[in-house]
Amino acid sequence: MRKIRDIIRLQETGLSYRQIDRALRVSHPVVSQYVRDFAATGLRYADVEAVSDSELLELLAGGKAADARYRELGQWFEYTTRELKRVGVTIHQIWEEYRKQHRAGYSYSQYCYHFQVWRDADEVTMHIEHKAGDKLFVDFAGKKLAVTDPVSRAERNVESFVAVLGASQLGYLQVVETQQKPDVIRASEGALQYIDGVPAAIVPDALKAAVSKADRYEPDLTPGYAAFARHYGAVVLPARAGKAKDKALVEQTVRLMYQRVYAKLRDRTFYSLEELNAAIRPLVDAHNATRFQRLPYSRRELFEQIERDALQPLPATRWELKEFLDLKVQFNYHIEMRADRHY
């Protein structure tokens, strides 16, 4: 919506479409379409500068709303967004279904264009980039929650582990003591237990407990986290350094957790991790039950529709934490297990 406002503002300064698309990095057809839609309203930029994004969007769609064919097309966009998450489904297949029901409907190129404009008006673009059952993104929130010692009344900060499924955006939050390997593995396992299944891949943001050596092409995993993933039948694909889009979904989920979990716990005191996690769970459930801003279903509903059956089943046993050590043969032909004084 910010770019739409910039398009409207810049066209009133006399800039050409080509100059506007270069300045804003927006395609030429999109610029011309928004300029025409705004011109049809008969308003100027000063008239809409203070209106909300949703009101501006309704004004721009006013001319199209009168077109019955466009109204029929708009009803397909929510269905398109949901179906593109299914493995193997393409927008061309959805368009073919649309044309079977609407013989006089839009051509494939027009369908793609209007769908692009519709989803760019909000943060719907991110929703269609991931297939069901494909990836679980995990990271730690930057802001911390706190636990109070019941005796000394001193507060200590704890770490917030956040996970989100790519297709349905089903979110998960759990607090742990540290970002060390045992806590990271137990929190990752908690996320798998919450979604009651295993995705094809787990995508951590170069967590030290999961990634021993960050590399854009061949990162090295810690033995413990790699063994944990093998036990659950998932592959670990660390997010690439400097590639914000690799972790955009989990960062968005972290922001939502600040609003929907942190904010509601701000005036409460907790005396243990267990007590804090017990308070977090219903708020996370409420977040997942909240409908998307422009889509008629929630993360939980979308998960049940398209993603639950795409997940692998959980193994019969939970992962047993193990310690992996780099050991060398000493001069006396022995290997020392220093932690328990064994040779």
Side-chain angles (χ1 to χ4, degrees), residues 10-79:
L10 292 176
Q11 63 89 24
E12 288 193 359
T13 66
L15 292 181
S16 67
Y17 291 171
R18 191 169 302 280
Q19 289 172 319
I20 294 174
D21 67 49
R22 285 179 179 175
L24 302 179
R25 297 184 180 275
V26 179
S27 67
H28 188 87
V30 171
V31 172
S32 61
Q33 180 68 50
Y34 279 124
V35 170
R36 288 197 300 270
D37 291 346
F38 186 68
T41 67
L43 301 173
R44 297 185 61 81
Y45 177 72
D47 300 325
V48 299
E49 189 173 6
V51 304
S52 67
D53 287 347
S54 58
E55 291 173 332
L56 177 58
L57 196 61
E58 289 178 5
L59 286 172
L60 295 175
K64 293 175 182 173
D67 184 354
R69 191 171 67 141
Y70 185 81
R71 288 201 303 271
E72 293 173 347
L73 176 69
Q75 295 171 359
W76 277 78
F77 291 159
E78 293 170 356
Y79 172 75

Side-chain angles (χ1 to χ4, degrees), residues 283-295:
L283 296 177
V284 171
D285 291 340
H287 159 73
N288 289 323
T290 301
R291 291 195 166 188
F292 290 106
Q293 184 175 358
R294 295 185 62 217
L295 299 174

Side-chain angles (χ1 to χ4, degrees), residues 83-146:
E83 291 302 304
L84 283 176
K85 301 173 187 295
R86 297 184 182 272
V87 177
V89 177
T90 66
I91 193 170
H92 192 272
Q93 293 171 333
I94 304 299
W95 172 77
E96 289 178 336
E97 295 177 16
Y98 159 75
R99 285 301 295 264
K100 285 180 181 178
Q101 296 188 27
H102 305 281
R103 296 293 182 181
Y106 287 84
S107 67
Y108 176 64
S109 60
Q110 289 177 315
Y111 188 99
C112 293
Y113 166 74
H114 288 299
F115 178 59
Q116 179 74 35
V117 171
W118 177 83
R119 68 179 188 175
D120 281 351
D122 197 9
E123 295 181 357
V124 181
T125 306
M126 193 179 299
H127 302 176
I128 69 169
E129 293 177 351
H130 308 288
K131 296 298 182 181
D134 189 26
K135 293 183 177 68
L136 177 74
F137 298 85
V138 303
D139 197 6
F140 279 95
K143 299 176 183 178
K144 304 179 188 299
L145 293 169

Side-chain angles (χ1 to χ4, degrees), residues 146-149 152-157 268-270:
V147 171
T148 301
D149 186 281
S152 67
R153 312 296 293 182
E155 285 190 353
R156 73 177 189 278
N157 289 331
R268 297 179 59 181
T269 301
F270 301 94

Side-chain angles (χ1 to χ4, degrees), residues 194-232:
Y194 181 76
I195 66 177
D196 194 25
V198 183
I202 300 174
V203 184
D205 182 21
L207 300 174
K208 290 184 178 180
V211 183
S212 58
K213 178 183 178 183
D215 185 87
R216 183 172 181 178
Y217 301 103
E218 295 183 357
D220 290 335
L221 304 178
T222 60
Y225 204 81
F228 157 77
R230 282 196 301 271
H231 175 79
Y232 279 95

